[in-house]
Structure formats: C-alpha cells, structure tokens
C-alpha cells in the first residue's frame, strides 16, 4: 500500500458503451407500446376523442333539438333512438363526449396540480410545514367526496366549470399523499444532497431534481384521476347536479333515469360510453404502470 | 505530471494557513418524545467536535459505523444542519450563512459520496450532471461550460463521448470518476470524500485514490477523507482523527501509528 505515486493515471474507457442510451422517457414509451392492453386503451380513447372532436361536423344534428317523437327506438329515423323529449341520442353522445372528456381531463389536471403542490412541499420540507399540510390533507380526505362535491356545486351554481373545479377540489388528497411519500423517499438520497452541494436552491431541487424522479407513479395516478373524474361527473349529473345547459353523458343518464323501462336506449348508450371511456383510461394507466415499473414487466 | 509542480511534502507545523477551522460542532437529531408531554429526546450524532484542516492537506476521519464521521463532514459543508458550533472556512464562519449567500458559497466546498450508484441522478446524462454546478452557480458562459465539462472528463480519465451517456451505462469506478469531475467543476478549495472509495473493489480503489492525489498535487486541493479502512486512511491522509460516539477521541499527524491501535477494531 505504499505505491500511491503511480505516475500515469490509466484511462478508464475500456468498458464504455459507444452509443448513448435513449432517455428513460423514451424507454418507458417503447415499453408502453409493447403492452397490448395499454395500446388498446389508447386506441379506444383516441377514437372517442376524435369522434367527439370531429363527429359534430359529420353528424349535423343539434343534441338539444327535438328532432323526433319522444322514445323513438333505435332505427332508421334516429340511429340510436331519441330520449324523453325527442332529442337524438347519437348527437347527445357525440356532443356530450366533449363535455364529459373535457371535465375529466381538466378535473384531473386540477387534482394533480393541487395534490402534487401540497404533497411535494409537505414531503420536501418536512417538520412543521409537513405536519400542517398533512392535517389539511386529512381534513379533505375524511369528507365524503361525492357529498362535498354536491355541496360545492349547490353553493356555486350548476355550471360545467363549477362541476370541474368541485371534482378537482375533492379528489386531490390521494395525489398529495402519493407525492409526499415519493418525496420522503427521494429527498435524502445522495443525488439530491449532491445537487444541493452543487448550488441548487429549494425550488430547483423540488422541480428539477426530485419531481422528475417522483413522476412515474404520479403519471399513473393522473391517468386514473381522469377516469375517476368522468365517473364523478356522471354521478353528479345523475343526481341532477350537472350543468343542465350543456349536454354530457352524465346529464343524459340523469335526465332519462326515470324512463329506463320505457326506453332502455336512452340510458344504456350513454352508460356504455362512460364505461368504455373509463375502461380505456384504466387500461392506459395499467400500461403506463407496467412500462415504468420494471418489476411488473414480466407479468405481461 | 508536469515538472514544475511542487512535490507533495508534509507542510510544517505552522498553523498560519488553515483552510477550515471547526470549533465545538454539535449536531443533534430529534428522536421523538416520551409520551405526548415528555421532553423531546435527541440523538447526539456529533457532540462537540473541533479540528483544523490545513490548506492542501488531507484530513482523515476514521471510526466505526455510527460514530458520526459522515454527519460531521456533511455538517461542515452545511448539508446537514448543525445544532451549534463554528465552522470557519477561509476566514468566514459559514455556520451563519443563510439562503443565497450559502448557496453561492457552496462553490468552494464540494462532496464525493460513498455510493456512486445513488449519487448521480439516473434521469440525466453525465455531461448535464457535471455541468449542473456550473449552471447553478453561474460560472462561465455556456460555451466555456461546455469546454470545462470536456476538460473535466479528460482530467478524471474519461473520454469526451462519456458526456452523452446515462449514469447506468458506467461501471462503479467510472461513476465515481464522474462524481469527482462534478465535485471539481466549480473549482472548490475543499472536497469532502465521504467513504469515497469504500464501495469500490480494491483495484478501482487504488485508481480513484491515485486520481484524487493527482488532482490534489495539481490544484492544491484540500480533502476531508472519511473511511473505515485504516490502510487507506494511513497512507492517504496527512492528519487523522478517530471518532467514537460523536466525539473525536484521538487526533494526530498520520505517521503516528499509535492512534490507529486506539481505533475500535474493525
């Protein structure tokens, strides 16, 4: 152990791969494309989105127009029949999908935005901030979400915006707890300390160092949040707390719920639409989960 | 080595050029309380530690697991909050630094961790990782930073194309070289090597130690070198402190072998 002064330092390039690896994001994307259920879900969701975006141009019937006799069964007059007022069900599905999917997407964004903000501050700083934020999270978590959303919608008016915000406001605690747990796990790892030593401030550490590494489970939870929000919108509308002036899948079910036995098509078709959309989103969520969690990959 | 560099000699015993002077450093961790109203209990991780590190030398800290070596070193460079004590670095008490002042002062003291697998952000390429301190501390123009990254890779013996690779594409020794390059990036005066070679196998250990020695000779770096490997400590360090239960129990210049006998058996 005395020959410390070896004159030349051997270069250490022997085993270096010649080509850089693709980034972790691309690896996950590639993996996702290999999961059949994930791809199927993505395809179904894409079809749904395209239908609601471009459908109205091809199927020019206004969903709120009374086009035929009430309870016209599916047939040549109206492909999927008409509801209790004589409004076209297919037009309702196409136009209502816009509202429903938008509510789902925006509510999920609100959920994740609030949840990730609170969870990351809580997990990163710890101490008093953590205690306070966890108490707030728990307060929101013990409120029954549907009841709380109903109160909010009743208080602030039955518009699509209120419904969206209400859904976002009641469903963030799960995301917050998930984010907090990830931050607690990551914040003491050496590379976070190394970044601090390299001159990173708290903002940089949270946004650029810890959050990107905490992101995979958050993305899965965001995907699932879209499905939950769509179901929530359906539930609120079913209880008569949706926006009565905007056609949505939930509204169709809610308004026709008393006539299920007179015209099954008035409720079954929007119900099936919600089912298919939520199923597709769940499959995507599963696909992403498998793609970013290597231990689950073998499961197929 | 180019010829003009001064040979590594043990500096004389003058205390004029002290880079780091740690005085009565204490680090306590809260450990819950007994009952709801009971007094909060604490873990005395570091319990009144004082030492001086002369510029251009290597200060070794040995001790068994849990003796507070790493906590001491990380508290000295303000990665772990110190409960009390003075940390005089280059004439300034950095224990009092807060916020932006502390952040900018960090360019002067860097750290190399034990485990090169967890010390590098797995989602970023080697080049970005080495650049990070330069970007964060706003050192040089973007073009100069690019050049500096290449130069640093060269200095630690990695080819320039390594900059495009992700950490998982390197071997353990290569990763430790990356960590050293990154620590070197802002041209610090002091580098804490927190068990920097303990996780590497013996052949790689020797390479990394030689690299550290080379950088010290070329740049007059000062190291705080933590290890539980007495052999490594003995020939790498100029001064050695032995820690036990949060206190320095022995401290002496390296040739003194007696203190090594005093260290708890490993």
């Amino acid at each position: 152990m005395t020959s410390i002064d070896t004159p030349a330092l051997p270069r250490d390039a022997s085993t270096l791969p010649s080509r850089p690896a693709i980034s972790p994001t691309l690896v996950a994307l590639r993996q996702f494309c290999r999961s059949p259920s994930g791809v199927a879900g993505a395809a179904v969701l894409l079809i749904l989105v395209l239908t609601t975006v471009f459908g109205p141009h091809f199927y020019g019937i206004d969903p709120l127009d009374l086009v035929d006799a009430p309870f016209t069964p599916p047939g040549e007059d109206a492909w999927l029949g008409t509801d209790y007022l004589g409004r076209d069900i297919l037009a309702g599905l196409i136009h209502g999908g816009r509202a429903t999917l938008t509510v789902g997407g925006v509510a999920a964004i609100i959920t994740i935005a609030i949840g990730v903000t609170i969870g990351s501050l809580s997990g990163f700083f710890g101490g008093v901030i953590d205690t306070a934020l966890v108490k707030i999270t728990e307060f929101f978590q013990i409120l029954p979400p549907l009841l709380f959303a109903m109160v909010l919608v009743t208080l602030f008016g039955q518009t699509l915006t209120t419904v969206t915000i209400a859904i976002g406001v009641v469903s963030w605690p799960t995301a917050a707890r998930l984010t907090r747990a990830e931050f607690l796990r990551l914040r003491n790892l050496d590379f976070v300390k190394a970044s601090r030593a390299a001159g990173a401030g708290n903002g940089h550490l949270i946004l650029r160092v810890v959050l990107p590494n905490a992101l995979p489970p958050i993305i899965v939870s965001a995907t699932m949040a879209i499905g939950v929000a769509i179901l929530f919108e359906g539930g609120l509308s079913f209880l008569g707390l949706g926006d009565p002036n905007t056609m949505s899948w939930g509204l169709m079910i809610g308004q026709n719920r008393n006539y299920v036995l007179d015209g099954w098509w008035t409720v079954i078709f929007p119900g099936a639409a919600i089912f298919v959309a939520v199923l597709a989103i769940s499959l995507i969520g599963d696909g992403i989960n498998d793609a970013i969690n290597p231990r689950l990959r073998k499961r197929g | 080595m180019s010829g003009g560099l001064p040979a590594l000699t043990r500096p004389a015993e003058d205390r004029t050029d002290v880079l780091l002077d740690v005085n009565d450093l204490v680090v306590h961790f809260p450990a819950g309380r007994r009952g709801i109203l009971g007094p909060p209990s604490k873990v005395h991780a570091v319990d009144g530690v004082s030492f001086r590190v002369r510029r251009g030398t290597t200060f070794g800290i040995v001790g068994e697991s849990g003796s507070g070596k790493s906590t001491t070193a990380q508290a000295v460079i303000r990665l772990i909050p110190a409960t009390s004590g003075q940390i005089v670095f280059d004439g300034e008490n950095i224990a009092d630094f807060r916020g932006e002042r502390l952040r900018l002062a960090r360019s002067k003291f860097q750290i190399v961790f034990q485990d090169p697998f967890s010390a590098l952000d797995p989602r970023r390429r080697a080049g970005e990782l080495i650049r990070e301190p330069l970007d964060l501390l706003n050192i040089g123009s973007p073009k100069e930073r690019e050049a500096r990254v290449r130069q640093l890779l060269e200095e630690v013996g990695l080819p320039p194309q390594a900059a495009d690779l992700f950490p998982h594409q390197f071997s353990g020794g290569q990763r430790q070289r990356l960590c050293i390059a990154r620590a070197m990036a802002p041209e610090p005066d002091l580098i804490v090597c927190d068990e920097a070679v303990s996780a590497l196998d013996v052949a790689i250990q020797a390479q990394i130690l030689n690299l550290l020695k080379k950088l010290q000779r070329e740049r007059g770096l000062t190291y705080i070198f933590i290890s539980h490997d007495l052999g490594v400590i003995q020939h790498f360090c100029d001064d050695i402190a032995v820690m036990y239960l949060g206190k320095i129990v022995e401290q002496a210049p390296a040739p003194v072998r007696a203190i090594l006998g005093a260290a708890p058996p490993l």
Side-chain angles (χ1 to χ4, degrees):
Chain A
M1 292 287 273
T2 47
S3 61
I4 191 73
D5 286 313
T6 12
L9 179 78
R11 273 180 152 262
D12 191 353
S14 47
T15 55
L16 269 187
S18 52
R19 280 193 312 140
I22 52 175
S23 76
T25 320
L26 276 176
V27 172
L29 202 64
R30 196 175 276 185
Q31 200 67 38
F32 179 79
C33 293
R34 285 196 201 125
S35 112
S37 61
V39 172
V44 170
L45 189 68
L46 186 71
I47 291 170
L48 284 179
V49 169
L50 289 179
T51 311
T52 56
V53 170
F54 297 109
H57 297 291
F58 298 107
Y59 193 77
I61 297 174
D62 192 296
L64 298 173
D65 272 356
L66 311 180
V67 292
D68 214 326
F71 299 120
T72 308
E76 279 179 23
D77 293 338
W79 289 354
L80 296 182
T82 62
D83 69 359
Y84 75 111
L85 291 175
R87 297 180 296 195
D88 191 83
I89 297 281
L90 182 57
L93 286 184
I94 293 171
H95 285 264
R98 271 190 187 183
T100 299
L101 295 177
T102 311
V103 169
V106 176
I109 291 172
I110 296 175
T111 303
I112 294 301
I114 304 177
V116 167
T117 309
I118 296 208
S120 52
L121 292 177
S122 175
F124 186 80
F125 288 108
V128 184
I129 297 178
D130 183 35
T131 314
L133 290 175
V134 166
K135 293 285 179 235
I136 295 174
T137 311
E138 281 170 354
F139 172 76
F140 274 88
Q141 201 162 31
I142 55 164
L143 295 171
L146 189 60
L147 215 59
F148 185 30
M150 285 166 68
V151 170
L152 289 178
V153 174
T154 318
L155 282 179
F156 296 105
Q158 285 174 249
T159 64
L160 213 55
T161 319
T162 322
V163 170
T164 312
I165 294 173
I167 296 171
V169 165
V170 300
S171 35
W172 62 265
T174 326
R177 294 175 69 103
L178 179 74
T179 312
R180 174 173 176 270
E182 280 297 298
F183 267 67
L184 284 179
R185 179 176 72 81
L186 291 164
R187 72 166 178 190
N188 284 326
L189 290 188
D190 284 349
F191 70 82
V192 180
K193 273 191 193 167
S195 245
R196 188 184 285 287
N202 287 334
H204 181 93
L205 285 176
I206 292 176
L207 293 174
R208 305 292 306 280
V209 182
V210 183
L211 192 56
N213 285 287
L215 219 44
I218 296 175
I219 292 174
V220 175
S221 130
T223 317
M224 299 301 188
I226 301 176
V228 172
I230 290 176
L231 287 177
F232 235 105
E233 192 270 339
L236 283 174
S237 300
F238 182 79
L239 295 170
L241 287 165
D243 183 347
N245 302 314
T246 314
M247 187 54 75
S248 74
W249 294 342
L251 187 79
M252 295 169 76
I253 300 179
Q255 290 187 337
N256 291 301
R257 66 167 188 263
N258 294 333
Y259 315 106
V260 184
L261 299 177
D262 303 315
W264 53 268
W265 56 89
T266 56
V267 172
I268 293 292
F269 289 126
I274 291 180
F275 173 75
V276 170
V278 175
L279 182 68
I281 288 162
S282 296
L283 288 175
I284 295 174
D286 271 351
I288 298 177
N289 197 23
D290 288 355
I292 56 194
N293 196 340
R295 271 170 298 179
L296 296 176
R297 263 176 209 166
K298 289 278 146 57
R299 209 178 55 182
Chain B
M1 282 328 83
S2 54
L5 289 163
L8 183 73
T9 51
R10 292 200 193 292
E13 272 301 292
D14 65 334
R15 294 275 157 175
T16 50
D17 201 11
V18 172
L19 177 66
L20 178 73
D21 190 346
V22 177
N23 261 321
D24 202 22
L25 181 72
V26 177
V27 181
H28 289 170
F29 293 121
R33 27 176 96 222
R34 285 167 193 234
I36 300 171
L37 298 170
S41 62
K42 290 174 274 189
V43 174
H44 297 234
V46 177
D47 210 4
V49 161
S50 304
F51 58 90
R52 285 175 165 179
V53 182
R54 287 167 292 131
R55 201 181 285 274
T57 64
T58 302
F59 184 82
I61 305 179
V62 274
E64 62 184 18
S65 298
S67 60
K69 315 181 288 287
S70 292
T71 312
T72 304
Q74 293 191 14
V76 163
I77 59 167
R78 298 292 311 275
L79 283 180
I80 292 175
T83 310
S84 67
Q86 267 191 325
I87 306 161
V88 180
F89 180 86
D90 215 0
E92 287 182 292
N93 184 11
I94 58 169
D96 293 337
F97 282 23
R98 293 280 175 277
E100 193 63 6
R101 192 163 175 223
L102 173 62
R103 194 177 77 80
L104 293 175
R106 288 194 187 280
S107 67
K108 290 293 155 209
F109 37 92
Q110 290 291 315
I111 182 162
V112 176
F113 287 99
Q114 169 175 16
D115 179 10
F117 289 80
S118 69
L120 296 168
D121 188 339
R123 308 184 70 84
R124 299 165 75 191
R125 293 174 197 272
E128 290 173 53
L129 286 165
I130 297 175
R131 255 183 79 123
E132 192 185 28
L134 302 175
D135 290 337
L136 287 168
L137 296 163
N138 219 0
I139 299 168
S141 66
K143 222 173 211 167
E144 288 167 354
R145 289 175 201 166
E146 233 17 84
R148 179 112 177 89
V149 169
R150 273 195 304 274
Q151 181 203 341
L152 283 163
L153 283 172
E154 168 75 30
E155 274 185 53
V156 298
L158 290 171
Q161 67 265 26
D164 294 328
L165 303 178
F166 283 96
H168 71 262
Q169 296 183 287
F170 294 92
S171 70
Q174 288 168 332
R175 286 187 206 204
Q176 203 57 299
R177 286 170 191 251
L178 281 182
C179 293
I180 293 169
R182 180 180 153 99
M184 297 281 304
E187 305 205 322
D189 295 327
L190 174 74
I191 294 183
V192 169
C193 302
D194 188 357
E195 306 254 17
V197 297
S198 307
L200 307 172
D201 69 47
V202 179
I204 309 293
Q205 271 191 17
Q207 281 186 16
I208 296 294
L209 289 173
N210 284 341
L211 171 61
L212 289 170
K213 271 291 175 211
K214 176 192 102 159
L215 295 171
Q216 184 170 48
R217 271 196 303 269
E218 288 174 359
R219 301 170 166 268
L221 278 171
T222 308
Y223 294 127
I224 293 181
F225 192 89
I226 297 169
S227 182
H228 50 251
D229 185 334
L230 296 177
V232 170
I233 283 276
Q234 204 181 345
H235 82 249
F236 192 75
C237 301
D238 301 295
D239 296 284
I240 300 174
V242 181
M243 283 194 74
Y244 184 67
L245 293 180
K247 290 193 165 82
I248 290 185
V249 290
E250 297 262 12
Q251 192 172 347
V256 179
R257 273 171 164 277
I259 62 156
L260 295 176
L266 297 165

